[in-house]
Amino acid sequence: MTLDDAFNPESFRSTGHRWVDQIAGYLDRAATGQEMPVLPFTLPAEMLAGVESDFPSEPSGDLLARIETLIANSNHLHHPRYMGHQVATVLPQAALVEATNAILNNGMAVYEMGPVQTAMERRVVAYLSEILGYPEDADGILTHGGSVGNLTALLAARQAKAGHDVWTDGQREPFAVLVSEQAHYCISRAVQIMGWGTAGAIAVATDDEFRMTHEALRAGYELAEQQGRRVLAVVASSCTTATGSFDPLEEVAAFCQANDLWFHVDGAHGASLAFSKKHGGRLTGIEHADSVVWDLHKLALMPALVTAVLFREGRRSYESFAQEASYLFESVDSEFEWSDVGRRTLECTKRGMGVTAFLMMQTYGTRMFGENVDKLIDLTQHFAVIVDETEDFEIATMPEANILCFRYKLTRCGDIDDLNRRLRDQMLRSEEFYIVQTQLGGTTWLRITIMNPATRLHDLEQLLVRLRELA
Ligand SMILES: Cc1ncc(COP(=O)(O)O)c(C=O)c1O
């Protein structure tokens, strides 16, 4: 194939038609979950050995055959027995938007490189801000993932609360944030990227339900003072990764207000509860947060990655990267202030990620996103009650979201942690379910996150059956 052939629309058309059939066929198989493993079990070295290492200089083989191999060796998030990490089971039609985006490749750093993409992103940001209960002058951006999003928010927190222009002058004293001991590791990573060291993220103890307490916040604050560190911010989790626990946002807000701290909510997973009338109450108090991170590729059915970083006072969104690039950006006062999104993102070029969220919400309506949240959480809570009533399993805590930690608790001899590690390993090898494990207070738990609206109670009951057989 020549370069000209590769750009020929006819060749794209014929492959594209076959591709649509291929993906629809895959979705059919995945939905029934009957004849395919959830995650084919292959060790990394074996997988690497099976992937070509030489890149031929001339055309070779068929793209769709290669896509088939790609699909076969992937983790199948559309399989009803996928219940592992918190990555969305994507709305299939989102793939059509993503493919269009890939062709357009509008890079968005400046308005002209993504005009309608920039406008759609702004509408998505405004809608998400509104359903969180933020005021009208809230603003924000979309970025590539919760980890980058949390870093972006914490950079703004530093600039706003340091008392001097850290961005320009560097840091004059040691700072810290208070963060739940259960928070996602990307928070301490962000703190370390900012140069505050490991001691810059002060772990706040949690209660039996894995939520930060007021007393522990106070103790963390005092510890920072003893260590000669100035606390700039508190990071609350809505919800935590391991157990899906929601920190008490009203209390954290009051603590931040009393101590003049930035209040950040890592809502990467749980902010999507704002779509739900039934479960949205868990987020009460989020409207007081100075900033919120929200991953739409978790509970909002979007393909990875698309993360909103929202600021209650919109102007704060310019403080994360208080930097000018004169060859790119117009004057700060101009119309281009909001429309050159690269001014406010870590990325220069970025995917037109708001387009997919915008078109899916416009086309399908936002109610469906709430239905999805309700379905996933209701099923998780229902299953937790069933597990809690068994004699051989226990749950870590009653779930507030779609995440459940539980474990087999009977052993004739041996260690319960070892047993549950073995169960997870055998389940992985069986290829029947994809579940994960986590450590809570030094003990091992099986962990499921129900992400697929096609998962049924029957699938979960079968999970218990299989675990019992393996125990
Ligand atoms: C609470 C929380 N914050 C942040 C992240 C990181 O998000 P991302 O994987 O989009 O970088 C995760 C990922 O699971 C998470 O659960």
Side-chain angles (χ1 to χ4, degrees):
M1 185 187 277
T2 63
L3 189 59
D4 283 347
D5 290 341
F7 275 89
N8 182 341
E10 273 316 310
S11 117
F12 177 77
R13 180 172 288 122
S14 65
T15 319
H17 281 312
R18 285 161 54 220
W19 176 81
V20 169
D21 286 341
Q22 182 179 31
I23 299 299
Y26 165 65
L27 290 171
D28 268 346
R29 275 180 284 128
T32 63
Q34 295 300 320
E35 282 157 30
M36 61 191 278
V38 185
L39 167 63
F41 182 77
T42 321
L43 292 172
E46 198 187 329
M47 182 62 79
L48 188 62
V51 172
E52 296 96 330
S53 56
D54 55 328
F55 289 84
S57 67
E58 299 307 319
S60 100
D62 172 33
L63 177 61
L64 295 187
R66 290 208 157 89
I67 290 180
E68 203 53 45
T69 310
L70 165 73
I71 291 173
N73 289 289
S74 294
N75 196 338
H76 301 297
L77 279 65
H78 284 85
H79 193 300
R81 293 185 176 184
Y82 172 93
M83 41 191 80
H85 292 291
Q86 306 145 260
V87 182
T89 303
V90 166
L91 288 172
Q93 308 237 3
L96 304 179
V97 184
E98 292 280 306
T100 311
N101 247 346
I103 296 283
L104 297 172
N105 211 19
N106 274 218
M108 291 200 70
V110 288
Y111 172 71
E112 291 155 23
M113 284 307 295
V116 70
Q117 291 79 358
T118 303
M120 287 178 175
E121 167 166 329
R122 195 155 178 79
R123 293 294 188 222
V124 169
V125 161
Y127 176 69
L128 298 179
S129 301
E130 185 192 320
I131 63 174
L132 282 188
Y134 264 180
E136 261 186 25
D137 63 343
D139 201 351
I141 45 90
L142 300 182
T143 191
H144 284 97
S147 306
V148 174
N150 280 310
L151 173 64
T152 305
L154 289 178
L155 285 168
R158 183 179 68 170
Q159 191 70 356
K161 293 292 180 188
H164 64 278
D165 183 358
V166 181
W167 186 265
T168 309
D169 303 333
Q171 213 160 286
R172 297 196 191 135
E173 57 181 311
F175 296 129
V177 298
L178 302 179
V179 54
S180 160
E181 60 183 358
Q182 290 292 327
H184 190 267
Y185 71 86
C186 71
I187 302 295
S188 54
R189 185 175 280 188
V191 164
Q192 286 173 277
I193 291 171
M194 291 193 293
W196 304 358
T198 45
I202 297 189
V204 175
T206 54
D207 61 16
D208 290 348
E209 280 151 350
F210 306 97
R211 297 190 283 235
M212 288 197 290
T213 64
H214 189 268
E215 300 71 45
L217 267 178
R218 166 84 15 231
Y221 192 77
E222 283 165 10
L223 178 69
E225 280 183 340
Q226 284 158 22
Q227 292 175 346
R229 287 182 172 266
R230 186 146 70 83
V231 177
L232 299 188
V234 178
V235 178
S237 303
S238 288
C239 48
T240 64
T241 309
T243 56
S245 306
F246 286 77
D247 282 329
L249 300 182
E250 300 268 30
E251 275 181 46
V252 178
F255 184 85
C256 287
Q257 200 184 18
N259 295 286
D260 189 25
L261 305 176
W262 183 276
F263 173 25
H264 174 64
V265 175
D266 179 0
H269 187 81
S272 286
L273 269 66
F275 285 116
S276 157
K277 287 200 176 71
K278 184 169 178 188
H279 297 285
R282 294 256 180 240
L283 297 172
T284 301
I286 203 166
E287 67 280 9
H288 303 304
D290 293 291
S291 52
V292 174
V293 155
W294 182 343
D295 281 0
L296 298 179
H297 56 273
K298 290 192 164 59
L299 267 179
L301 301 163
M302 289 299 118
L305 291 163
V306 49
T307 295
V309 189
L310 307 172
F311 294 86
R312 185 166 40 80
E313 286 179 85
R315 68 192 167 90
R316 296 290 184 193
S317 63
Y318 294 86
E319 296 194 351
S320 307
F321 309 102
Q323 185 186 33
E324 287 288 299
S326 55
Y327 73 97
L328 281 175
F329 306 125
E330 299 286 325
S331 133
V332 179
D333 299 328
S334 78
E335 158 81 358
F336 292 92
E337 188 174 352
W338 64 264
S339 60
D340 289 341
V341 291
R343 190 189 290 283
R344 295 183 283 165
T345 57
L346 182 65
E347 303 94 328
C348 177
T349 306
K350 74 171 185 179
R351 249 175 10 92
M353 59 185 80
V355 173
T356 313
F358 179 86
L359 291 182
M360 289 295 100
M361 288 196 280
Q362 287 289 334
T363 310
Y364 286 118
T366 55
R367 187 165 51 82
M368 189 188 71
F369 292 79
E371 264 173 35
N372 179 54
V373 166
D374 292 348
K375 197 166 187 181
L376 300 177
I377 296 182
D378 292 350
L379 181 59
T380 310
Q381 293 179 337
H382 184 169
F383 180 56
V385 172
I386 292 175
V387 177
D388 197 33
E389 284 169 356
T390 65
E391 285 179 358
D392 45 356
F393 288 93
E394 62 183 335
I395 61 172
T397 181
M398 210 35 100
E400 298 182 301
N402 57 331
I403 301 172
L404 174 69
C405 291
F406 68 108
R407 63 182 185 167
Y408 194 74
K409 66 177 181 185
L410 306 181
T411 62
R412 271 168 239 106
C413 53
D415 183 78
I416 292 193
D417 290 341
D418 286 344
L419 170 66
N420 282 282
R421 273 193 290 272
R422 179 172 64 74
L423 286 178
R424 138 79 186 169
D425 187 58
Q426 286 180 313
M427 199 50 94
L428 203 58
R429 287 167 192 274
S430 81
E431 304 180 338
E432 292 170 54
F433 289 85
Y434 181 60
I435 64 171
V436 295
Q437 68 186 35
T438 192
Q439 292 285 309
L440 296 174
T443 54
T444 304
W445 294 79
L446 303 172
R447 175 173 170 274
I448 59 172
T449 309
I450 301 178
M451 297 303 293
N452 188 345
T455 300
R456 302 275 172 266
L457 186 59
H458 176 71
D459 296 305
L460 296 165
E461 287 166 346
Q462 284 305 305
L463 172 64
L464 289 188
V465 169
R466 286 297 287 130
L467 286 169
R468 274 192 192 107
E469 284 168 5
L470 294 170

